[in-house]
Amino acid sequence: MTVIFQTLGGLGLFLFGMKIMSEGLQKVAGKKMRWILSVVSNNRFIGCGTGILVTSIVQSSSATTVMLVSFVDAGLINLAQAIGIILGANIGTTVTAQLIAFKISAYALPAIAAGVFLKFFVGKRKWIYVGDVLLGFGLVFYGLATMKAGFAPLRHEPAFITLFTRFNADGPVGIFLCILAGTALTMTVQSSSATVGITMALASQGLLNFEASVALILGDNIGTTITAELASIGASINAHRTARAHTLFNVVGVFFIILIFPLFLKMVLWISGFVMHMGPPDLMIDGERPNIGRYIANSHTVFNVANAFFFLMFLPYLVKVATWLTPYDKAKKDMDDLHHIKYVDLKFVEVPSVALAQAGLEIIRMGEAVQTMYDDVIICLKERSIKQLSKWRKREDTLDILQREITMFLVRVMQGNISLEESREVRSLIRMTNNIERIGDATENIAELISEFIEQGLYLSDEALSEYEGISNEIRKYVTLVVDSIKREDKEIMAKAEKFERNVKRIVEKIRESHLIRLQSGVCTVDPGLIFVNTITAFERMGGFCFNISQAVAGVR
C-alpha cells in the first residue's frame, strides 16, 4: 500500500504542480499569447516558430491547441495558419520533457518554499504569479522524485518485473502495444507531461528499458491529440479540420517511426551519446539509471522536431487531407446552432487566458448576430415585408441566451484566482456583452415600429425616408466598426468612435429639426410622425451603446 500511495501521491503532486505552473505562466503571458496567436503570419515557418514560442512560455500545448481551434472556428485565422502553429506547439511542449529530465529534484523543496513565500506573504499580484510558477515548478520535481521513490521497491519484486518486461519493444507487436499503452495513459490523465514523467520514473528504476520507453513516448504524442478533438466538438467545419490535422500528423508521424524504429533509436542514441556526450542509457548507479531520462526527453524532442519540419514542407497537402477527412456534410455545425454557446467551455474556467479568449469569440458571435438582425430589420421599412420582418425574433432570442450564458461564464472566471488585468478584461467583456444585447433590443424596438407602419398602412414622406436611410446607414457603419474592433482588440478605436458619436448626434438633431418643419407645413402627419420620431430615438440609443462598447474595447471603462 505504501508503494501505491507514494506513486499515486507523487503523480498527484506532479499534475498539480504542472497545473499551477502553467496557470501562473499564463497569467503573466496569457493576453500576449492570445494576441500573438491571432495575428500570426501566413508564413508557415513563422507560424511554427510562434507555436514553439507560445507553448514553451506557457508550458501547455493544450491551451495553445484549444485557442487555435476556437480562433479557426471564429474565422480569425485560417486552417493552414492554425496547423502551422500546432506543429510548432508540438515542438514547444517537448521543453517540459527536457526540464523534467534534468537532475534538479534537489531544488524542488527550495522552489516550493520560495513559491509559498511569494504567493502568501509578499502580497503584490505580480510576485504572486511568480510564486505560482515557482511553487508549481517545485511540486513537479518533488512529485517526480516521490514517484521514483514509490517505484523503487518494485524493481526487486518478481511479479512487477514480469509485468513491466512485457513492455518490450523488440518487435512490431511489442512496439505497437507500448504505443497503445502510452496513448491510453495520456488520454486518461489528459497530460502528455504526466506520461513523460511516469515513463521516466519507471525507466530510472530499471522497470522499463530504453526501447519500450521511447515507444510509450510515441504513444503519448497520439494521446495528446484528444484535447484538440474534444475542443472541436460542436464547432465549425474548419475547427474540426484543425483537430483532424493535429491527429493526422501525429498518427502518421508515429506510424512512420514504427517503420524505422531501430534507425530512430540509433539516431537518438547518437545525438545523446556522441553529440551531447551523455553516458549510456542503461548505466546503473546506486540502483538508478541517471541518464535514461535525458535519452527519453531527447527521443520526444527529435520525433516532434522531425515530424513538424517534415509536415511543414508538405503543409498544403496536409490541409487537403484534413479537408478530405472531414467533408462538409459531416459538419453541418458550420451552420450555427444559434440557441447555444459554441466556444466557451466550463472546464477552462480556471485557465483565464483560454476562458477569456473563448468569451471574446462568443461576443464576436453576438456582434455578428446583431449585425444580421439589424440588416434584416432596417430594409423592411422600404420593402414593407412582414415575413422578412419576422426574422428578427430568432436573432433576438439568440442574443438574450448568449448574454446570459457569457455573463454567467465570465462571473465564474471572475470568482477564480485571476490577475488585476484579467479582472479588468472580464468587466470590459461583460460591458461589451450587455451593450451588444441592448443594440439588439433597440433593433427589436425599430422592428416593432416598422410593423406599426406596415399594419396601419402608414407611409413616410420621401424626405423622411431619405433621412431614415441616412441615419440607419451611419449606425450600421458604427456597429461594424465596434464589432471589427472587438475582433482586432483595437485599443485605438476611441478616435473613430468619437467621430461617429458626433456624426450620429448631428444627424439626429438635423432630422428632428426637419421633422418639425414638415409637421408645421403639413407634409408629415401626426401618426406616422410619432412613429418616425421613436424610430430615430432608437437609432440614437444604438449610437450610445456602440460608444459604450468602444470604451470597453479601448479599456477606458
Side-chain angles (χ1 to χ4, degrees):
M1 290 301 290
T2 302
V3 170
I4 294 173
F5 287 142
Q6 198 165 7
T7 303
L8 293 179
L11 177 60
L13 287 170
F14 182 93
L15 290 171
F16 186 56
M18 282 299 302
K19 181 176 184 292
I20 293 175
M21 183 170 68
S22 178
E23 287 179 0
L25 289 165
Q26 288 178 54
K27 284 168 185 172
V28 175
K31 195 166 186 180
K32 294 183 180 69
M33 177 177 73
R34 299 203 306 273
W35 179 80
I36 290 169
L37 291 177
S38 64
V39 298
V40 67
S41 166
N42 283 318
N43 185 298
R44 68 185 80 172
F45 295 100
I46 293 176
C48 181
T50 301
I52 295 171
L53 175 66
V54 169
T55 308
S56 298
I57 291 171
V58 300
Q59 291 291 290
S60 175
S61 60
S62 296
T64 305
T65 54
V66 166
M67 273 192 283
L68 285 171
V69 168
S70 298
F71 286 165
V72 172
D73 196 20
L76 299 180
I77 59 176
N78 62 40
L79 180 61
Q81 287 173 321
I83 293 173
I85 299 170
I86 290 178
L87 286 169
N90 273 24
I91 298 174
T93 196
T94 65
V95 172
T96 306
Q98 292 291 348
L99 285 173
I100 295 170
F102 281 97
K103 305 291 286 183
I104 51 179
S105 297
Y107 300 102
L109 290 176
I112 292 171
V116 169
F117 177 77
L118 291 175
K119 185 174 176 63
F120 294 104
F121 298 104
V122 173
K124 289 186 178 180
R125 196 171 289 270
K126 176 183 175 182
W127 290 109
I128 289 174
Y129 302 146
V130 174
D132 283 336
V133 174
L134 287 174
L135 177 59
F137 178 85
L139 287 173
V140 164
F141 287 97
Y142 188 71
L144 185 62
T146 305
M147 270 197 294
K148 286 181 179 179
F151 286 133
L154 300 182
R155 64 173 179 256
H156 303 299
E157 292 289 336
F160 282 97
I161 292 171
T162 303
L163 172 65
F164 283 107
T165 50
R166 292 179 182 176
F167 288 95
N168 195 1
D170 56 355
V173 176
I175 295 169
F176 176 76
L177 290 175
C178 288
I179 290 172
L180 191 62
T183 302
L185 180 58
T186 305
M187 286 184 174
T188 301
V189 299
Q190 287 284 288
S191 172
S192 59
S193 298
T195 302
V196 172
I198 291 169
T199 303
M200 288 181 182
L202 288 167
S204 70
Q205 300 305 316
L207 295 169
L208 286 176
N209 61 31
F210 173 60
E211 293 80 4
S213 300
V214 172
L216 281 167
I217 294 301
L218 292 175
D220 156 88
N221 285 278
I222 297 175
T224 196
T225 64
I226 192 67
T227 304
E229 293 289 355
L230 291 172
S232 72
I233 295 173
S236 70
I237 181 73
N238 279 329
H240 280 275
R241 287 169 178 168
T242 303
R244 283 316 94 76
H246 185 213
T247 302
L248 183 67
F249 63 67
N250 277 291
V251 171
V252 171
V254 168
F255 178 74
F256 178 73
I257 295 298
I258 291 173
L259 298 178
I260 59 165
F261 193 69
L263 183 62
F264 178 71
L265 292 176
K266 288 179 181 178
M267 183 188 304
V268 175
L269 289 168
W270 179 78
I271 291 172
S272 304
F274 183 77
V275 177
M276 302 178 72
H277 306 292
M278 295 179 192
D282 56 355
L283 176 67
M284 274 278 190
I285 299 176
D286 296 329
E288 282 195 21
R289 291 175 175 171
N291 300 322
I292 195 165
R294 297 292 306 281
Y295 280 82
I296 292 169
N298 289 343
S299 70
H300 191 36
T301 302
V302 169
F303 167 76
N304 280 288
V305 170
N307 199 34
F309 279 98
F310 174 80
F311 279 105
L312 274 175
M313 298 298 177
F314 300 97
L315 188 62
Y317 299 100
L318 179 59
V319 172
K320 287 181 180 178
V321 174
T323 302
W324 176 75
L325 286 173
T326 316
Y328 185 77
D329 290 343
K330 286 184 68 179
K332 290 297 184 181
K333 292 292 183 183
D334 202 32
M335 304 298 290
D336 292 350
D337 180 6
L338 290 172
H339 288 84
H340 296 282
I341 56 173
K342 286 179 62 177
Y343 304 118
V344 301
D345 190 332
L346 286 175
K347 70 172 175 271
F348 293 105
V349 77
E350 294 181 3
V351 187
S353 59
V354 177
L356 296 181
Q358 291 178 334
L361 295 174
E362 289 290 357
I363 291 170
I364 291 169
R365 186 172 171 232
M366 276 189 78
E368 291 171 345
V370 88
Q371 285 176 304
T372 304
M373 178 183 175
Y374 184 89
D375 291 340
D376 288 343
V377 167
I378 297 306
I379 198 172
C380 292
L381 182 62
K382 188 174 183 180
E383 294 187 352
R384 302 183 73 83
S385 169
I386 290 291
K387 183 179 180 181
Q388 171 72 17
L389 191 60
S390 63
K391 291 182 178 180
W392 67 266
R393 295 185 184 279
K394 185 177 182 181
R395 300 285 173 183
E396 172 57 20
D397 290 344
T398 299
L399 294 174
D400 290 339
I401 291 167
L402 289 177
Q403 181 200 25
R404 183 176 63 254
E405 297 202 27
I406 292 170
T407 302
M408 288 171 61
F409 180 74
L410 288 171
V411 168
R412 288 280 299 274
V413 175
M414 187 181 284
Q415 290 170 344
N417 183 19
I418 62 174
S419 68
L420 184 61
E421 183 183 9
E422 288 165 344
S423 180
R424 290 196 193 101
E425 188 175 354
V426 168
R427 288 196 292 271
S428 293
L429 291 173
I430 291 175
R431 185 175 173 83
M432 291 179 211
T433 304
N434 291 338
N435 280 279
I436 291 173
E437 198 277 333
R438 287 168 188 158
I439 293 174
D441 289 342
T443 305
E444 176 185 359
N445 186 208
I446 292 173
E448 291 169 345
L449 292 168
I450 292 174
S451 181
E452 284 188 52
F453 269 115
I454 298 171
E455 290 173 357
Q456 295 180 28
L458 302 174
Y459 290 85
L460 292 176
S461 64
D462 290 341
E463 186 179 354
L465 189 59
S466 176
E467 290 170 345
Y468 170 86
E469 290 177 352
I471 185 64
S472 63
N473 288 337
E474 189 71 8
I475 292 297
R476 182 61 172 86
K477 292 175 186 176
Y478 202 174
V479 173
T480 300
L481 171 73
V482 296
V483 173
D484 288 347
S485 72
I486 296 172
K487 292 179 182 178
R488 300 193 310 271
E489 296 188 29
D490 183 9
K491 299 297 182 183
E492 308 301 321
I493 187 179
M494 288 310 299
K496 295 176 183 177
E498 286 168 356
K499 183 178 178 181
F500 266 108
E501 190 69 10
R502 288 193 298 270
N503 284 344
V504 169
K505 288 180 179 178
R506 179 180 54 78
I507 293 169
V508 168
E509 190 63 31
K510 186 177 178 182
I511 289 173
R512 284 175 175 152
E513 289 176 2
S514 299
H515 176 65
L516 285 174
I517 293 171
R518 288 194 298 272
L519 281 174
Q520 289 173 349
S521 63
V523 174
C524 179
T525 57
V526 174
D527 288 342
L530 288 173
I531 300 174
F532 179 69
V533 168
N534 289 334
T535 303
I536 299 305
T537 301
F539 281 124
E540 186 179 25
R541 292 204 313 274
M542 281 191 202
F545 301 144
C546 288
F547 190 74
N548 292 342
I549 295 170
S550 302
Q551 288 180 317
V553 173
V556 177
R557 293 183 64 183

